[in-house]
Amino acid sequence: MTTAVHTAAQPPPYPPPLVGEGREGARSAALATLAQRLGERVSVASAVRSQHANTTTWVANQPPDAVAFPSTAEEVQAIVRICATHGLPVIPFGVGTSLEGQVNAPFGGVSIDFRDMNRVLAVHPEDLDCVVEPGVTRKQLNAFLRDYGVFFSLDPGADASIGGMAATRASGTNAVRYGTMKDNVLALKAVLASGEMITTSRRARKSAAGYDLTRLLVGSEGTLAVITEITLKLHGIPEAIAGGVCPFPSVQAACEAAIATIQSGIPVARIELLDALQVKAVNAYSKLTLPERPMLCVEFHGSPASVEEQSGRFGEIAADLGGGPFEWATKAEDRTRLWQARHDAYWAALGLRPGAKAIASDVCVPISHLAECVIATQADVAASRLVAPIVGHVGDGNFHLSILVDMDDADELRRTEALLERLVERALAMEGTCTGEHGVGQGKMKYLKAEYGDAALSAMRSIKSALDPQNIMNPGKIVTLG
């Protein structure tokens, strides 16, 4: 039996190479030049190429022509220049945890894997910042920073690379207090399509000098430049941390508790929603015994006195909405186990329907619309006769579906796609966005017109054309040219 694969809307055919050697000749010439420069650090093996295309969602796997493994920014520049000479696409690759086809190569080209550019270049604890290469992962970075008494706050769950997190404007469980990548990237170094290196800002905490190129590149998914160095904002490790779980009688009550917590000004560090089905999956996967009801996982950072006060105020809000009893994790190892279970929600969901594929999608709405949107989505899932547990970073109005799909069932695929269409329509009708943190890639390109309108999309295309006139920088993502 042949497995059905979702095909994202494809952009117009890629423009021909700039040299007069034909498509295959251009590819061969580029790969030969790369091999001369990098030797065995260029691979054309089929398995390696497939591993560097999309594997975490239902968008078809579209491998590059080759994978390059640079070890310096100068080598990245050389790779881009070679590809530019021969009109070959360039696709940056971190660790491949993106969810919307960002690492696919719909027109072939060269995947630049930053595996070997994984050094922490500088730490300035007195300024609360550090400088890293793009291949550094968030767990690696925080292990390195621990002895300095500081930490990098973003926690998207997966041990993503910092370069990938910057490129996709990642978020995560701590975003409600510490912000997303756009708030925590101070400066970048990046290689443009011409092979030129640019620096987008300095280490100063604020600047009014010129266009904000840092924010332009954060979230651009490799379509404008290839990031080679990131300066990050850091935070002091909290003196005290308290966290735990609180069940609620309904999703409505849990969402209302999250909304009331934020609106009351309680500086909660994390506040995560799991619906009853997701709790059931987490219990089975992570060997927990949580009550199988809608649940908030919360965490507070600060001094012992402030953490106690925040916890108490949250408890009062939860009790007023029928929540409880609390199960507080006071030991670090208990908190780690709890949050690891939350981060494993995707894998846990797969256990609800063995053999199915989990199609993950997210939207984000203003927090005042959160309960309405989640409840309407649950009803839609039920009416669609699908299995889709819900988790959410509900402190900022962001939630996720993991739809468990039999990829061999054409009718089920149609129902899944229709559900996702309605999910985005619902979020946009509530003044939300088609994606809070997964990004656009290939999978959500079709929603940008409804979200932004023609004029804004035209402006995006103008920026893309100006910085990448050959359309070689991760083409076929976010916006199309031509």
Side-chain angles (χ1 to χ4, degrees):
M1 182 178 292
T2 302
T3 299
V5 179
H6 176 73
T7 303
Q10 293 300 308
Y14 186 71
L18 296 183
V19 290
E21 52 198 348
R23 174 67 181 160
E24 182 58 32
R27 186 188 73 85
S28 298
L31 299 188
T33 307
L34 283 171
Q36 290 176 355
R37 177 64 189 256
L38 297 177
E40 294 182 354
R41 289 183 292 127
V42 175
S43 175
V44 294
S46 176
V48 175
R49 291 164 47 228
S50 293
Q51 289 165 3
H52 285 74
N54 198 61
T55 58
T56 55
T57 187
W58 62 349
V59 180
N61 184 290
Q62 297 169 315
D65 295 312
V67 181
F69 299 88
S71 59
T72 65
E74 290 74 22
E75 287 184 340
V76 175
Q77 287 183 277
I79 293 167
V80 172
R81 284 171 176 149
I82 291 167
C83 288
T85 297
H86 297 282
L88 213 60
V90 173
I91 306 96
F93 185 93
V95 293
T97 57
S98 58
L99 291 166
E100 293 293 349
Q102 284 94 339
V103 297
N104 255 351
F107 307 107
V110 176
S111 174
I112 302 179
D113 187 322
F114 286 97
R115 176 195 68 187
D116 298 331
M117 290 181 63
N118 63 349
R119 292 171 284 265
V120 179
L121 301 176
V123 179
H124 309 106
E126 66 281 4
D127 293 322
L128 292 175
D129 70 50
C130 68
V131 184
V132 303
E133 291 182 321
V136 173
T137 67
R138 67 171 187 87
K139 289 184 179 179
Q140 174 194 350
L141 177 58
N142 275 325
F144 188 94
L145 294 173
R146 191 174 297 121
D147 290 343
Y148 291 92
V150 294
F151 78 111
F152 174 60
S153 60
L154 263 75
D155 184 359
D159 191 20
S161 69
I162 301 300
M165 290 170 67
T168 56
R169 201 186 298 137
S171 183
T173 59
N174 279 328
V176 63
R177 175 159 182 170
Y178 297 102
T180 70
M181 280 301 279
K182 74 179 178 60
D183 307 300
N184 287 277
V185 175
L186 298 175
L188 296 168
K189 288 187 178 179
V191 177
L192 298 175
S194 63
E196 296 174 284
M197 179 76 72
I198 64 167
T199 298
T200 64
S201 189
R202 300 299 191 96
R203 285 202 303 119
R205 282 304 175 101
K206 64 180 182 179
S207 172
Y211 297 130
D212 191 345
L213 296 177
T214 305
R215 298 297 172 275
L216 178 62
L217 295 188
V218 171
S220 64
E221 301 181 8
T223 63
L224 301 179
V226 180
I227 295 169
T228 60
E229 185 178 295
I230 308 103
T231 301
L232 297 168
K233 182 190 296 184
L234 304 176
H235 299 269
I237 295 175
E239 181 183 359
I241 299 175
V245 296
C246 182
F248 286 84
S250 65
V251 166
Q252 173 93 30
C255 289
E256 288 179 358
I259 293 168
T261 299
I262 301 303
Q263 292 177 342
S264 298
I266 300 173
V268 61
R270 310 194 213 201
I271 184 164
E272 299 284 298
L273 169 72
L274 288 74
D275 72 357
L277 185 59
Q278 185 66 70
V279 175
K280 177 181 179 180
V282 163
N283 277 343
Y285 185 84
S286 299
K287 310 278 191 298
L288 299 178
T289 57
L290 300 171
E292 292 183 2
R293 290 188 281 156
M295 184 167 294
L296 290 180
C297 302
V298 296
E299 189 169 275
F300 304 97
H301 297 175
S303 67
S306 68
V307 162
E308 183 177 359
E309 179 186 4
Q310 293 165 34
S311 303
R313 290 176 62 194
F314 172 77
E316 293 170 0
I317 291 172
D320 287 343
L321 291 160
F326 284 103
E327 289 186 25
W328 290 104
T330 55
K331 296 180 180 178
E333 56 268 29
D334 292 337
R335 287 197 309 274
T336 298
R337 186 177 180 219
L338 171 65
W339 287 110
Q340 188 59 51
R342 162 61 185 90
H343 290 326
D344 288 340
Y346 174 88
W347 307 108
L350 291 171
L352 294 170
R353 193 179 179 191
K357 186 175 181 64
I359 307 304
S361 189
D362 81 315
V363 294
C364 188
V365 296
I367 191 170
S368 60
H369 291 298
L370 174 65
E372 178 188 0
C373 195
V374 172
I375 291 166
T377 300
Q378 281 192 311
D380 198 353
V381 170
S384 302
R385 295 177 287 115
L386 294 168
V387 179
I390 291 177
V391 298
H393 312 312
V394 291
D396 49 20
N398 183 206
F399 69 94
H400 307 249
L401 291 182
S402 293
I403 309 173
L404 301 173
V405 183
D406 178 354
M407 299 297 287
D408 295 321
D409 187 327
D411 179 64
E412 194 167 312
L413 285 168
R414 283 192 294 271
R415 282 183 278 128
T416 298
E417 189 149 20
L419 172 66
L420 292 176
E421 294 275 354
R422 291 191 299 272
L423 174 66
V424 172
E425 290 172 2
R426 186 176 303 120
L428 295 182
M430 296 179 182
E431 300 183 273
T433 176
C434 68
T435 174
E437 59 185 22
H438 288 184
V440 175
Q442 295 171 296
K444 290 195 170 179
M445 290 175 66
K446 59 186 176 181
Y447 301 125
L448 292 189
K449 181 177 180 179
E451 182 159 339
Y452 289 114
D454 289 329
L457 277 183
S458 178
M460 292 183 193
R461 291 190 183 98
S462 295
I463 293 169
K464 168 74 169 170
S465 296
L467 293 181
D468 180 22
Q470 294 185 64
N471 194 24
I472 65 169
M473 305 302 278
N474 209 6
K477 320 293 168 60
I478 304 184
V479 296
T480 60
L481 299 182

